[in-house]
Amino acid sequence: MGADPSAWWKEGVFYQIYPRSFADSNGDGVGDLPGVIGRLDHLAWLGVDGIWLNPTTVSPDADWGYDVADYVGVQPVLGTLDDIDELIAEAARRQIRVLLDLVPNHTSSEHPWFVESRSSRDSPKRDWYVWGDPKSDGSPPNNWLSGFGGPAWTLDEATGQYYLHNFLPEQPDLNWWNEEVREEFDRILRFWFDRGIAGFRIDVVHMVVKDRQLRDNPPTTDEDHWFERFRGQRQVHNANRPEVHDVIRRWREVAESYDPPRILVGETHVFDAATLASFYGKGDELNLAFNFLLLHADFHAPALREVVEGTLAAIPPGGWPVWTAGNHDVYRFPSRWAGGDPLKARAALMMVLTLPGTAFLYYGDELGMPDTVVPESRIEDPVGRAYFPVYGRDPERTPMPWSPQPGAGFTEPGVEPWLPFGDYERCNVEDQRRDPESMVSLCRDLLGLRNAFPDLRQGAYEVVAADDAGLWAWRRGERTVVALNLADTPAAIDDVRGLVRISTHRARDGERLEGALRLAPWEGAIVWLDGPGP
Ligand code: GLC
């Protein structure tokens, strides 16, 4: 590592692991921590700098780990605290850092804190959660809606008050106005930082503080992002409160008290660049704020460009962008953006890995793994159950295909995994690693180029004018041009002199350009321009 302790995460590429679906070491059909350790060599081979694991803490799994019953324990089906320690050490041996998932907005309803809180109105932990009196007609305190459908309030018959849950009733929201809650989380952060993790991904970080007066949310208007309109409510009182920034600054202080400083990566599920940018504070809040504008954008050059340029313009000095094409809550990009067309998926991968900022891959992205069709009888996601057949999150959470053999290298042959396999005979790590034209080879070569070219890690973004509507090209730094032709027709940029370093059409790698860069439909290319050395 150089003198700048932030270089590793700013210039690096992270890889998100859904632990239940990555690798099953004990043949129970569920991925686990020893399984992750056993597959670290693949990640080192790929060239990633860090991993983020979805929750590994104790949970009754009403929402697959996002309902935490013990913040400093490890979910037994995934492993033990010793396994986490070993994972951190084994990853470090490969220059890979580990981020864990922190879920501060809510606990499980089975967490001892909530059990205590609901036991009586006089409980010392009553105020750790958000309780509200029924209205005179017995209805909930206000109009807030759960992100998973229905009211965000459930009546606790025994004590006669409603408790807030921005998600499932099994996920009661903590009251972040309570100083004891804040202090408890300081301890939780330290517990994991002391074990050597590099930082946290923080679940729904924009949401943790609620309006103290519990005011109604206003309805959405035509100007709002489609995702907000779908919900019908502007989340201004049950989320996105200005006071959340105090909490984030407090965490950042804890993170900065470590050497090297730990990092905070927030799930900032917001829909305009200015709000997103606010989570960087004055360089004293999140290190990285996930960009859902890109995730929810159409895969069209003008739409993508607008998001990227809008984000870059909004992020304050000292802030640093982060890009991802997928996670455990959205359909996989080879399906969502590319509609199953491998050419489009290759262009999308090139985009994410060459935009200015940190990049996050979701496990399987490196293979162009598509969504898996999950039949109704196999649905495990509570959202999938509630919204079947319209929406669900199981298709992007199915087992990682390591090999074409029975069990897919994920589990033992004959074992039925917790979620069904996709088509692992067609798409798997083993076959792709042998094929220089494959998506995994493209991914590895893109990461290698990022490492080799400072332009791709640090170079500023500058758009390159292009006439074709589907063409989006940008310069990174002095000598690197990325050009994506996101269209069914060929496109060209005039006056390009240099070398094609990587094209999604691999036969062109190494081609000299003397005048024009011509791109086939859905081709992406990275060109090293002639000129003085960097
Ligand atoms: C976040 C998680 C999602 C979870 C929700 C509630 O959005 O990414 O998986 O269901 O929070 O915790």
Side-chain angles (χ1 to χ4, degrees):
M1 191 160 68
D4 177 4
S6 62
W8 78 269
W9 57 265
K10 285 186 169 167
E11 300 177 7
V13 174
F14 286 80
Y15 185 100
Q16 180 190 348
I17 292 176
Y18 197 78
R20 292 181 65 87
S21 294
F22 200 59
D24 169 19
S25 72
N26 59 358
D28 63 359
V30 177
D32 47 45
L33 293 164
V36 175
I37 296 168
R39 293 295 184 177
L40 284 172
D41 284 340
H42 169 69
L43 303 179
W45 174 85
L46 203 57
V48 306
D49 303 277
I51 53 178
W52 150 35
L53 285 90
N54 287 95
T56 49
T57 38
V58 177
S59 169
D61 282 339
D63 187 24
W64 298 112
Y66 286 100
D67 46 325
V68 179
D70 176 4
Y71 286 90
V72 294
V74 174
Q75 178 76 333
V77 75
L78 300 180
T80 63
L81 209 46
D82 285 345
D83 293 329
I84 298 252
D85 290 342
E86 192 185 333
L87 172 62
I88 295 168
E90 284 297 318
R93 287 206 312 125
R94 296 163 175 86
Q95 279 80 50
I96 294 172
R97 276 112 163 154
V98 178
L99 304 182
L100 293 181
D101 209 313
L102 183 72
V103 189
N105 181 68
H106 45 269
T107 70
S108 161
S109 53
E110 292 180 29
H111 195 296
W113 303 339
F114 187 70
V115 173
E116 168 62 48
S117 183
R118 82 187 301 175
S119 68
S120 102
R121 288 198 188 201
D122 303 326
S123 157
K125 291 238 167 13
R126 187 67 169 181
D127 187 52
W128 278 41
Y129 291 83
V130 184
W131 292 94
D133 290 324
K135 286 191 177 153
S136 51
D137 63 355
S139 62
N142 63 27
N143 72 351
W144 297 353
L145 295 173
S146 153
F148 291 169
W153 297 95
T154 288
L155 182 66
D156 178 58
E157 304 267 350
T159 57
Q161 281 189 309
Y162 282 90
Y163 68 87
L164 177 71
H165 50 87
N166 269 331
F167 297 95
L168 297 175
E170 291 86 350
Q171 295 169 296
D173 279 41
L174 284 161
N175 174 18
W176 275 89
W177 290 101
N178 184 300
E179 182 59 24
E180 287 171 13
V181 168
R182 296 185 183 207
E183 284 167 12
E184 186 66 36
F185 271 83
D186 290 349
R187 282 191 284 275
I188 292 166
L189 260 68
R190 289 207 175 88
F191 176 86
W192 292 108
F193 290 161
D194 287 343
R195 298 201 96 82
I197 65 164
F200 281 113
R201 174 270 189 183
I202 307 177
D203 194 55
V204 288
V205 66
H206 59 293
M207 193 174 255
V208 297
V209 179
K210 317 296 174 326
D211 179 40
R212 234 176 172 165
Q213 302 166 49
L214 306 181
R215 282 172 289 184
D216 277 351
N217 278 330
T220 43
T221 66
D222 289 347
E223 272 93 76
D224 289 315
H225 192 274
W226 63 263
F227 195 97
E228 290 260 86
R229 290 203 312 268
F230 170 73
R231 196 160 34 207
Q233 223 175 59
R234 271 203 176 149
Q235 295 201 316
V236 293
H237 291 313
N238 70 329
N240 298 308
R241 298 297 311 155
E243 300 88 353
V244 71
H245 299 285
D246 299 335
V247 175
I248 302 173
R249 275 193 292 270
R250 177 182 181 127
W251 291 335
R252 181 70 181 259
E253 268 177 38
V254 177
E256 293 283 337
S257 71
Y258 283 78
D259 183 22
R262 308 308 199 235
I263 63 164
L264 306 177
V265 185
E267 188 202 11
T268 37
H269 204 233
V270 298
F271 301 100
D272 68 278
T275 309
L276 180 69
S278 74
F279 288 98
Y280 290 93
K282 295 185 173 68
D284 55 357
E285 296 191 31
L286 298 178
N287 301 87
L288 296 171
F290 271 126
N291 194 316
F292 285 82
L293 290 159
L294 188 78
L295 218 52
H296 292 306
D298 289 336
F299 196 58
H300 294 143
L304 297 165
R305 186 181 153 190
E306 189 185 321
V307 167
V308 168
E309 293 180 1
T311 303
L312 294 178
I315 290 183
W320 190 256
V322 54
W323 311 105
T324 185
N327 64 37
H328 62 292
D329 293 326
V330 295
Y331 293 130
R332 288 178 175 276
F333 78 84
S335 301
R336 187 181 81 248
W337 273 346
D341 180 341
L343 280 184
K344 295 182 185 175
R346 291 163 79 90
L349 185 73
M350 181 174 277
M351 176 188 80
V352 170
L353 293 175
T354 56
L355 286 173
T358 307
F360 272 70
L361 296 170
Y362 183 51
Y363 80 98
D365 281 358
E366 77 272 38
L367 307 174
M369 180 179 177
D371 288 331
T372 301
V373 177
V374 176
E376 188 177 6
S377 61
R378 296 291 304 270
I379 292 178
E380 295 286 359
D381 171 28
V383 178
R385 241 176 265 129
Y387 290 95
F388 181 82
V390 178
Y391 176 67
R393 301 176 297 179
D394 291 317
E396 65 266 21
R397 297 178 178 181
T398 61
M400 177 75 170
W402 295 99
S403 82
Q405 284 92 37
F410 167 76
T411 187
E412 287 164 17
V415 171
E416 188 57 39
W418 80 289
L419 279 175
F421 287 122
D423 188 353
Y424 58 83
E425 288 179 12
R426 221 174 123 208
C427 172
N428 65 72
V429 175
E430 198 178 294
D431 290 342
Q432 286 204 18
R433 277 180 60 155
R434 275 198 226 107
D435 175 5
E437 298 270 328
S438 69
M439 184 83 155
V440 89
S441 297
L442 175 66
C443 187
R444 179 174 191 246
D445 292 345
L446 287 169
L447 293 188
L449 199 67
R450 225 178 127 108
N451 280 334
F453 276 25
D455 273 359
L456 284 176
R457 302 196 304 275
Q458 302 148 358
Y461 167 100
E462 193 191 332
V463 75
V464 173
D467 293 333
D468 304 282
L471 184 61
W472 177 26
W474 63 89
R475 192 189 270 256
R476 293 290 312 279
E478 282 303 302
R479 291 189 51 189
T480 306
V481 167
V482 181
L484 302 178
N485 180 22
L486 307 183
D488 294 326
T489 46
I493 309 177
D494 294 333
D495 290 328
V496 182
R497 279 178 179 72
L499 208 60
V500 175
R501 290 305 304 254
I502 296 185
S503 164
T504 53
H505 294 41
R506 302 304 301 268
R508 295 191 68 182
D509 290 7
E511 182 185 317
R512 256 217 72 76
L513 300 172
E514 295 286 357
L517 167 60
R518 295 182 197 292
L519 294 164
W522 298 100
E523 179 180 359
I526 302 172
V527 176
W528 200 31
L529 301 175
D530 292 345

